[in-house]
Amino acid sequence: DELLAGIGDLELPRVRDGASHVYHLSVVRTAHRNELADYLRARDIQTGIHYPIPVHLQQAYSEFGYNAGDLPVTERVAGQLLSLPMFAELTRPQIEDVCAALREEVARAQ
């Protein structure tokens, strides 16, 4: 989190004071998700987009009758979430490379 702090409009997960979290995904939020994902991919850094379809629009929840536009904030946020590399063998130098690449792309795009 400290290496990602202050990079453009990246929003990091919030952790309550006095709490801790064990993440299985490293998800950030940015209005420039697709551009960042493309840039990282070009540098052989894989990213993911988990749940690209908001839950209320997925077939499994169709019985509730939600339509596109019913939850506009949820729909907007779904288009902004980007999963960064996260796995047990991820080394500190790899983490630093990912963060440096993000910082470079955001600086270049401004």
Side-chain angles (χ1 to χ4, degrees):
D1 285 351
E2 40 182 88
L3 293 176
L4 292 173
I7 298 179
D9 71 339
L10 282 188
E11 289 184 44
L12 308 177
R14 295 185 190 122
V15 179
R16 289 176 150 174
D17 290 338
S20 61
H21 195 307
V22 178
Y23 296 98
H24 79 284
L25 296 173
S26 177
V27 180
V28 296
R29 182 175 165 192
T30 175
H32 309 286
R33 175 189 74 188
N34 295 338
E35 296 90 340
L36 286 176
D38 290 344
Y39 181 79
L40 293 172
R41 188 177 312 107
R43 295 195 55 177
D44 292 325
I45 299 171
Q46 299 301 307
T47 61
I49 298 175
H50 291 84
Y51 312 108
I53 299 170
V55 172
H56 68 286
L57 297 178
Q58 293 183 21
Q59 181 65 36
Y61 294 90
S62 63
E63 68 185 84
F64 297 107
Y66 288 108
N67 296 301
D70 287 347
L71 299 175
V73 174
T74 299
E75 293 167 31
R76 184 180 75 248
V77 169
Q80 297 174 337
L81 299 177
L82 180 65
S83 296
L84 301 176
M86 170 69 86
F87 51 93
E89 298 83 10
L90 192 64
T91 66
R92 177 69 184 203
Q94 290 171 319
I95 293 168
E96 292 169 356
D97 286 346
V98 170
C99 295
L102 284 165
R103 199 172 291 284
E104 287 169 15
E105 174 58 8
V106 168
R108 185 198 65 75
Q110 289 180 341

